[in-house]
Amino acid sequence: MERFFQYLFDGLSLGSIYALLALGLVVVFRGTGHLNFAQGEMAMICTFVVWQFNDWGVPLVLSIILGMIVGFALGAGVEATIIRGVAKKSQAGVFVVSIALFLGLNSLAAMIWGSLPPEQLPGLFPDEPDDFQRIFGAVWRYEYIGVLAVALVLMGLLFLLFAKTKFGLAMRAVASNPESARLAGIPTGIVLASSWGIAGAMGALSGTLWGGIVGELNAGLMFTVFIYASAAATLGGFDSPGGAVIAGLTIGVGEQFLAGYFPGWIGQEMKLSAALLTIFVVLLVKPSGLFGSTKVERV
Amino acid sequence: MLRIDEGSTRHWLLRLLGFAVITFIVVWVPTQMSSSRIGQFTDAFILMIAAMSLNLVLGFTGQISIGHSAFFGIGGYTAAILIKDHGWSPGYTFYAAAVVAFVVGCVVALPALRIRGIYLALVTLAVAVLFPTLVRWKKLAWLTDGSKGMDSVRYEDVPVWPILGELKGREGRAVFMFWLGLIVVVATYLVCRGIVKSRFGRALVAIRDNETAAAVMGVNLTTTKVLVFGVSAALCALGGVLSTLKSGVITPDGQYVTLLGSIVFLLVMIVGGAGTLWGPIIGGLVYVWLDNTTRDIGTSDSGILGALFGWADQSPATLILGLVLVVIMFAAPYGLVGLAKRLGRKVVVIVPRPVGSSTPR
Amino acid sequence: MSLLEVRALSAGYGPVEVLHGIDLDVDHGEMVVILGANGAGKTTTMRAVSGMIGRSGSVTFDGVDITRTNAEKLVGMGIAHVPQGRGTFPDLTVMDNLRVGAYARSGGIAADIDRWFAVFPRLAERRDQRAGSLSGGEQQMLAIARALMSHPKLLLCDEPSLGLAPLITQEVFEVLKKLNADEGLSVLLVEQNANLALKVAQRVYLLETGTVVASGSAAQIASDDAIRKAYLGA
C-alpha cells in the first residue's frame, strides 16, 4: 500500500505539470484549430526568463509572474503576427511555422543561456531532504505538494475564466462558431491572440514548476513534457479542457504505476513508451479521446 | 507569355531542356565537386526519398504522419543488422528493409482507419517516440546493440562500375554513394509517379479531398489506406538504408531516427510543395542547402551576421533556419513548387490536351 | 434617407466576383426580401453588407458610411446578421447563446433574455441545453433571438426557412412579421420560398447572377406574370 500511495502522489504532481501544458495545447486548438508544436519551447524560454529575473535579484514569485506575462505576450504576439498571416494562406504552412518556432526558440535559448553553467532554478517550495509529509507511509515532498496545489489553483482559475466571465464566453463562442461570433460583435482576432497568450502564460508556469523539480535548466527542458502534454490532450480529447486535465493527471499516475510495478520490463526508460501505447489502445476504442466531441462529416 | 500545347514539338523541346539541365547537374556534381559537396547531395537524396514517401501519405492521401522517422530507422537498422550480424551484401538489404517496413507500415496504418486528423498526428508521433526507445531497450539489445548503436556498416568494397572509372578511398565511396542515392531517388520517384497517375492514385486524392464521398464512389477505404501507408513506409525505409550505408553508423538518437527526423521530412515536403511530385525533390535540395549555409554562417564571426550574433553563446544556425522557413511559408504557402508554378504560368502556359484525344495536334 | 443604402456593391470570393454592382435600399421599419435562384448571389449580398467578405461600392447605414467598417463593429452600430443555416453556437447552452448575442452592449441583459423567452417559449424550456441538441426550428429561432439580443435597427436574415418543416417555417415568419409590425424592426430577408416571402415583405429585389433584374413592391412583383412563372411556379 505504501508503494501504491507513493506512486499516486508522485504521479499526481508530475501529471499536474503535464495537465497545465496540455491545457495550453487545448486552448490553442479550440481557438484556432492548430497544434502548436512550439508550446513546449515557449514554456522553456519563459522558464529561462523567470530564472533571469530571479538571477537579477527579483523575488522568485514576482519573477514567475513576470515570466507568465512574457509568456502571454510571446503567445499572443506569435499568433497575431506569424500564425494568422500564414493560416490565411495555408494550413500546412501553420505546421511549418510552428516547427520553425520550435527550432528558433530552442536555438535562441541556447544562444542566450547556453554556455553558462547549468542553471539552477531555485524551487518555489522548501526542498531540503527532510521537507516531506508522510501520508499512509508514503513520502510526499512539500515541493511536490506545492506543484500540485499551484497547478490545480491555476487550472481552477482558468475554468472560472471560461465559465463565468464575458471574455470566457467570447472564447467559447469563437471556438464553437467563429463566423457567428464575429457577427455577434466579438473581436475574434483579440480572442484568438489571447488564447495563445493564455497558453503561453500557462506554459511559463508549467516550465517553472518542472524546472524546479529538475533543478537544471537547458534548452531541452520541456521536450519530454511536451510529448506528455500532447499525449494528455489526445487522451482527453483535443477540444476538451477538462479532459486534458483529467488525462494529464491520469498519465502522470499511470506512468508511475507502470514504471514502479514493472521495473524489469518497463522501468524509467520505457514508461513514456508504455503510456503512449496505452493511449494508442484507448484511441482505438474512442478515436476522439475520452472527452472529445466527434464531428460528423457530411458530403 | 508563351502558350504551348501539351504534346506539341515545343512542349517536348521544353521537356528535353529540363531533362538536359538535370542530366548536366547530375553528371557535373560527382565529377567536378569536392567529396564533401557530393556528400551533401547524397544527404539531399536521402531526404528526398523520405519526403517523397511521406508525400504519398500526407500530400496525396491526406493522412498526417509524424512517424516516418520510425520507418526510416527500421530501414537503417534492418540494413545494419543484416550486414553486420548476417553477412548480407549491402545491395540486398534495400529489398529486405522495404519488406520489413511495408509490414510495419501496414500495421501502423490500421488505427488510421479509425483515428483521424490531429489524433492520428499524435498516434504517429507516438510511433516516432517509441522507435528509438525500443531500439535502446535493454530487452532488445541483443538485436540492436542498445544505445551505443551499430557501426561500420558499409560497402566493404565498392563495386567497380565500368563507366564511373575506379572508385577508391573516401572520394570513391562518396561518388559511389551519390550514384546509388540517385538510383534510389529515381526509383522512388517512378514508384510515386506510377501510383499517383494511376487509378489507385486518383482513389488516394479522392480520400484526401472527401473520405465519405470517396467511399460512396466505391473506393475501398481500408485496403487503399493500409496499402498506401505500407508502400510509403517501405520507400522511407530505402532512405534509411541509404543513410546507414553512407555514414556507416546507426544509433537510436541518430539523424532522422528520432522524432526530429519526422519533423524534418515534413518540413522538406511542405517547403517543397505537398501533393506535388517534384515538391519533395526541390524541398530536399533547398533544405540541405539551407542547413549547410546557415551552419556556415553560424561558424563565421565576420560580416553582418557575425556582428549581429557575435554575442551568442552558440551558433545561430537553427534560429536562422527557423526564420528562413517562416519567410518561405509567407512567400510560398503552397511550397516552392506551388510558387514556381504560379510564377511560371506568367511566362509559359502548357495548354492541356483536350480529354479523349491521344495524338498531338 | 433610407436606413440602409447600398450602391454599386461588388463582392466575391478571392478572384471570383459574384456580385456585379447592385443597388439596394431598406427603409426604416421596412421588411425587404431578396429573391433569386441558387447561386444568384443572395447570401453573398448579405455577407457583403455585413462586412464578412471584401467588397467595393458603397454601403451606408443610418447615414454613416460603413463600407470600410469591420464586421465586428457593425453589431454595435445596429446591424444583426443571422447567417444561413448555422447562426447558433452549437457547443454553448441556449442561455450562453443569448448572452453572446448581447456581447456588444451591456445592461438589461437578463431582462432581454426573459423577453425573448416570452416570445419563444420553447427556448425557455431548453435554456440549459446545448444549442446543438435543439431541433432545426428551435435553432433558427435561437439564432434570431440571439441576433435580436444586440438591439438591432436592421436584421439581416439569410434563408431562415432552410431545412425547416413548412409549419415551423410559418412560425418563424410569423415572428419576423410581428417584430416588423410591432417593434418597427427593419428586416432584410433572403428567401427561396417566394410565396411565403411575398406575404410578409413590403418590397422585393430579384437577383440573377449577381445583378438586380427587378424590384418593386411585393404586390407588384407578385402580379407580374413573367416573374410569377419563373419564381413562383404558377
Side-chain angles (χ1 to χ4, degrees), chain C residues 33-63:
Chain C
V33 67
I34 303 177
L35 292 178
N38 277 337
K42 304 186 298 287
T43 296
T44 310
T45 308
M46 296 295 234
R47 291 169 62 85
V49 167
S50 65
M52 294 298 284
I53 52 175
R55 55 198 170 173
S56 62
S58 88
V59 183
T60 314
F61 180 71
D62 223 1

Side-chain angles (χ1 to χ4, degrees), chain C residues 120-224:
Chain C
F120 304 101
R122 258 184 307 171
L123 294 183
E125 289 164 26
R126 308 214 184 316
R127 64 178 71 203
D128 293 321
Q129 245 171 278
R130 282 174 60 246
S133 69
L134 303 184
S135 75
E138 287 162 352
Q139 289 206 32
Q140 193 61 55
M141 290 181 192
L142 177 59
I144 293 172
R146 196 264 298 153
L148 292 171
M149 286 296 293
S150 65
H151 287 187
K153 294 175 200 157
L154 173 68
L155 180 68
L156 306 178
C157 208
D158 195 348
E159 243 181 274
S161 70
L162 190 80
L164 299 189
L167 269 178
I168 313 277
T169 310
Q170 289 253 287
E171 214 174 306
V172 171
F173 271 79
E174 222 98 287
V175 171
L176 288 177
K177 196 175 170 184
K178 197 160 171 295
L179 286 167
N180 175 247
D182 299 356
E183 323 248 334
L185 175 73
S186 310
V187 180
L188 180 60
L189 188 69
V190 157
E191 192 44 71
Q192 291 240 358
N193 187 337
N195 281 313
L196 199 58
L198 285 174
K199 277 183 206 136
V200 295
Q202 285 119 43
R203 259 176 349 98
V204 179
Y205 288 90
L206 207 58
L207 221 57
E208 236 169 60
T209 54
T211 44
V212 174
V213 291
S215 62
S217 75
Q220 273 172 340
I221 295 285
S223 61
D224 186 312

Side-chain angles (χ1 to χ4, degrees), chain B residues 104-127:
Chain B
V104 178
C106 287
V107 173
V108 172
L110 288 174
L113 298 172
R114 256 180 83 71
I115 304 169
R116 303 217 153 85
I118 195 163
Y119 296 95
L120 182 61
L122 268 297
V123 167
T124 53
L125 183 140
V127 172

